[in-house]
């Protein structure tokens, strides 16, 4: 399922341009020194990846709780259904602003970002990336569902790390060359994202059903064990 995280990241990069592109454009990189610029951008990405990994760790821990109580398969199915529902019923989810309870925190993050963008210290770029990772994003929410479904803190952290890794190539290009893709290309790729989300949602559902399909829907280990009858 880690492949789904990479696909999310790669395709989600075009969504990131709209959400985080302005931050990437405003990075105070040293454009007169290409080597220094490269490491500054790298530091920014490390900051984002660290935040995503931390988020994945926390939600993976939540998923472990579900796994402990035997809800791993059900959780995978619920995750798939939620992903598909967010695509098919977007207005329903927009009606309920899940980020509203943490609006004040988000405002503080944005305020801190604004201050950091005016600096050029050695830790500035990591801090910007770290704060950037906490900004609300629909695709990040979907990736979080995947992290929960891993039912393991380490796997959840790795899932979110791979998701973030998928966003690195395009976000790096944006910093270097700005708006490199015309509106039509971005529009077509953004139109493809919902289909990919639905496809990945179906994979999660199949995984939860345990149909015995290798790599796609393996039979749960608990179902493979057959009770041994005693002899009397």
């Amino acid at each position: 399922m880690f492949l789904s995280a990479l696909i999310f990241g790669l395709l989600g990069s075009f969504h990131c341009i709209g959400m985080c592109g302005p931050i990437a454009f405003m990075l105070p990189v040293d454009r007169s020194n290409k080597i220094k610029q490269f490491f500054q951008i790298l530091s920014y990405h490390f900051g984002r990846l660290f935040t995503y990994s931390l988020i994945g760790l926390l939600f993976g821990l939540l998923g472990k709780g579900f796994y402990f109580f035997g809800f791993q398969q059900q959780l995978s199915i619920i995750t798939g259904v939620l992903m598909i529902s967010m695509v098919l019923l977007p207005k329903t989810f927009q009606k309920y602003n899940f980020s509203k309870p943490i609006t004040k925190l988000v405002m503080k993050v944005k305020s801190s970002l604004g201050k950091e963008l005016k600096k050029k210290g050695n830790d500035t770029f990591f801090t910007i990336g770290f704060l950037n990772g906490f900004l609300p994003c629909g695709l990040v929410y979907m990736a979080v569902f995947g992290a929960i479904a891993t039912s393991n803190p380490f796997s959840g952290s790795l899932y979110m790390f791979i998701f973030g890794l998928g966003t690195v190539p395009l976000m790096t290009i944006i910093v270097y060359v700005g708006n490199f893709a015309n509106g039509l290309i971005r529009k077509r790729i953004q139109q493809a994202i919902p289909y990919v989300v639905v496809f990945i949602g179906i994979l999660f559902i199949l995984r939860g059903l345990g149909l015995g399909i290798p790599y796609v829907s393996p039979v749960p280990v608990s179902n493979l064990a057959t009770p041994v009858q005693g002899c009397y």
Side-chain angles (χ1 to χ4, degrees):
M1 299 307 294
F2 292 114
L3 180 60
S4 67
L6 183 62
I7 294 173
F8 261 142
L10 288 171
L11 287 179
S13 299
F14 286 86
H15 176 76
C16 290
I17 293 175
M19 297 296 293
C20 304
I23 297 174
F25 289 142
M26 295 173 64
L27 281 179
V29 294
D30 187 350
R31 299 186 182 277
S32 63
N33 188 325
K34 295 299 181 183
I35 296 178
K36 188 175 181 180
Q37 181 184 21
F38 171 79
F39 283 104
Q40 288 173 336
I41 295 172
L42 192 65
S43 179
Y44 163 71
H45 288 313
F46 270 128
R48 291 195 308 118
L49 294 177
F50 180 80
T51 300
Y52 291 149
S53 298
L54 181 61
I55 292 172
L57 181 71
L58 296 175
F59 281 95
L61 190 62
L62 175 63
K64 185 178 181 179
F66 286 106
Y67 177 75
F68 180 78
F69 289 104
F71 295 132
Q72 185 183 23
Q73 284 182 267
Q74 294 90 330
L75 180 61
S76 186
I77 294 173
I78 292 171
T79 297
V81 170
L82 283 173
M83 286 182 175
I84 295 172
S85 298
M86 289 182 75
V87 172
L88 300 181
L89 304 170
K91 292 184 178 180
T92 301
F93 285 87
Q94 289 172 2
K95 182 179 178 181
Y96 301 98
N97 188 353
F98 297 107
S99 63
K100 190 174 182 179
I102 57 173
T103 299
K104 290 184 178 180
L105 177 61
V106 172
M107 293 303 295
K108 288 183 178 179
V109 169
K110 290 183 176 180
S111 176
S112 298
L113 265 173
K115 294 177 181 177
E116 289 297 326
L117 287 169
K118 297 176 182 178
K119 301 178 181 178
K120 291 187 179 182
N122 293 329
D123 62 338
T124 297
F125 299 91
F126 180 88
T127 304
I128 291 174
F130 177 78
L131 293 171
N132 192 167
F134 284 110
L135 292 178
C137 174
L139 284 173
V140 172
Y141 294 157
M142 292 185 188
V144 164
F145 289 148
I148 296 174
T150 63
S151 304
N152 180 288
F154 174 77
S155 297
S157 182
L158 182 59
Y159 190 95
M160 290 299 293
F161 178 85
I162 294 174
F163 163 77
L165 206 61
T167 67
V168 168
L170 187 57
M171 290 296 288
T172 301
I173 293 173
I174 286 299
V175 178
Y176 274 113
V177 300
N179 191 9
F180 78 100
N182 63 48
L184 181 60
I185 294 176
R186 291 202 306 273
K187 183 179 179 180
R188 287 180 177 177
I189 294 180
Q190 287 179 341
Q191 287 175 339
I193 292 177
Y195 296 98
V196 174
V197 172
V198 170
F199 174 72
I200 293 174
I202 292 173
L203 287 181
F204 272 104
I205 293 173
L206 289 174
R207 179 191 177 198
L209 292 175
L211 301 176
I213 305 173
Y215 304 107
V216 176
S217 184
V219 176
V221 176
S222 59
N223 292 350
L224 295 176
T226 55
V228 178
Q229 298 294 333
C231 298
Y232 299 97

